[in-house]
Amino acid sequence: MTTPQRKVRIGVQLQPQHADYANIRDAVVRAEDMGVDVIFNWDHFYPLYGEPEGKHFECWTMLAAWAEQTSNVEIGALVTCNSYRNPDLLADMARTVDHISGARLILGIGSGWFEKDYDNYGYEFGTAGQRLDALGEALPRIEKRFEELNPSPIRKIPVLIGGGGEKKTLKYVARHADIWHTFATGDELTRKIDVLRGHCDNESRDFSAIEISVGAGGRGRDGRTPEPPEVEGQPLLDAGATLFTMGMTGPDYDLSNVEPWLKWRDEVNANRR
C-alpha cells in the first residue's frame, strides 16, 4: 500500500512591524478568508528592516488575540526566541493559546539572533553556541511541562524549529520537532535535508514525520516581481518541502502574491494521494 504524500500548505508571516494593530488585525481576516493554512508572526521587539525604531508589537500577546479572532487557520510564531522566556512559562503560554484557539497553535521556536532585542530588553546575548545549547536544554523542559499542565494541551502541540545549523539545530529537529523551517534553497536545501535524515537515523526518528517548511514568495530574478509558484515552488517541493510561507510587512500587508500560491497548492494537492 502506497503511503499518502504530505499535502502542500501555504503560510503567511504577518511581520508585526511598521503598522497599527488595526492593520494587523485586518490582515489576519484577509489571510484567513483567502484560505491560507497558517498565519505566523515573529518574536522580536524592534523592526528587522525599515525604520529601526518604527512601530512594533509583541509576539505572544498577539497570538492570543489571533486565537480568539480566527476560526480555522493555524497560528504561531516564526519563530519564538528561546532566550526571552523561561521554558516552563513558554509551555504554559503555548498551552493556553492552544486552548483559546481550539487546538490551532504551532509552537515555533529558535535559539535567537537579533542582538538589539537582547541589549535593549536586558537579556544576555552570549554566543551563538551558548544560545543553541540553551535551546537544547529548553526543549525537553517544554515537553515535560506540557505533560504536567492541568488542563493539558488539547492536542500534541506541533513544534516547529527554525534554523539550519547542521550539528546542533538539525539534531534538535530530529529529537523534538514536527516541522523544520529553513530559508535554504537548491543544493543547500538538499544537503541539509540529507543531514536531517542522518540525525533522524541516529535518533531512531521517522524522517517522514517531520514537515519541511521553507520561505517563499520572494523577489524573482528581475529583483522586483516574484517568480510564479510553479517556478519557485516546484524545485522546493521536489526537494521535500511542503509548507511554503511568505513574509508580509506593515503598514499595508499586501497579500496579492498569496493567491497564485493558493491556486498552485490546490492543483498540487489534487494530484497527491
Side-chain angles (χ1 to χ4, degrees):
M1 182 176 179
T2 303
T3 302
Q5 292 178 295
R6 187 185 292 273
K7 295 292 188 180
V8 168
R9 303 201 294 162
I10 301 299
V12 296
Q13 183 192 53
L14 301 179
Q15 301 159 358
Q17 60 178 6
H18 308 308
D20 293 325
Y21 188 70
N23 298 81
I24 298 172
R25 184 172 57 238
D26 172 70
V28 171
V29 171
R30 290 187 285 122
E32 182 170 42
D33 287 348
M34 290 176 74
V36 304
D37 298 288
V38 189
I39 304 176
F40 295 107
N41 60 8
W42 68 27
D43 189 20
H44 295 288
F45 306 131
Y46 296 92
L48 294 190
Y49 54 92
E51 169 52 50
E53 300 298 322
K55 296 175 181 178
H56 201 282
F57 289 98
E58 194 276 330
C59 169
W60 275 90
T61 44
M62 182 179 293
L63 288 175
W66 289 4
E68 282 285 8
Q69 177 186 343
T70 57
S71 301
N72 301 303
V73 70
E74 288 193 297
I75 58 174
L78 192 64
V79 290
T80 304
C81 176
N82 175 64
S83 307
Y84 300 161
R85 298 164 193 84
N86 171 286
D88 295 272
L89 171 62
L90 178 60
D92 203 339
M93 293 166 63
R95 179 280 310 258
T96 299
V97 176
D98 175 64
H99 277 259
I100 296 171
S101 68
R104 291 182 290 112
L105 177 76
I106 294 171
L107 175 55
I109 192 166
S111 61
W113 63 273
F114 191 40
E115 190 169 4
K116 181 177 180 178
D117 283 347
Y118 286 79
D119 292 345
N120 283 279
Y121 276 65
Y123 297 103
E124 182 179 352
F125 188 58
T127 67
Q130 288 170 334
R131 295 192 300 277
L132 279 166
D133 289 343
L135 176 62
E137 294 168 1
L139 289 163
R141 286 179 59 182
I142 291 169
E143 293 169 348
K144 185 172 185 292
R145 181 58 56 184
F146 280 155
E147 295 174 355
E148 296 172 349
L149 288 166
N150 183 18
S152 60
I154 298 174
R155 65 171 177 173
K156 180 191 179 300
I157 297 175
V159 172
L160 177 155
I161 294 178
E166 297 180 5
K167 292 183 179 180
K168 293 183 180 181
T169 302
L170 294 183
K171 180 171 66 176
Y172 301 157
V173 172
R175 287 180 180 175
H176 303 284
D178 303 282
I179 307 169
W180 170 53
H181 182 79
T182 179
F183 291 99
T185 60
D187 292 342
E188 181 186 13
L189 176 60
T190 300
R191 186 188 74 251
K192 288 184 182 295
I193 288 176
D194 286 342
V195 172
L196 178 57
R197 287 182 186 274
H199 284 301
C200 287
D201 289 343
N202 292 336
E203 299 289 334
S204 299
R205 177 80 190 279
D206 179 5
F207 169 79
S208 68
I210 300 172
E211 185 175 22
I212 308 299
S213 168
V214 294
R219 295 175 180 174
R221 279 168 279 187
D222 64 3
R224 298 185 302 277
T225 307
E227 297 280 14
E230 58 269 19
V231 173
E232 181 187 358
Q234 191 62 49
L236 297 168
L237 179 66
D238 292 342
T242 55
L243 174 55
F244 302 83
T245 297
M246 286 153 274
M248 313 290 172
T249 193
D252 298 324
Y253 297 103
D254 180 5
L255 300 176
S256 60
N257 189 41
V258 178
E259 197 65 52
W261 283 86
L262 296 175
K263 181 180 178 182
W264 177 74
R265 173 200 66 187
D266 294 343
E267 292 171 350
V268 171
N269 286 342
N271 295 310
R272 292 172 81 86
R273 295 289 186 267

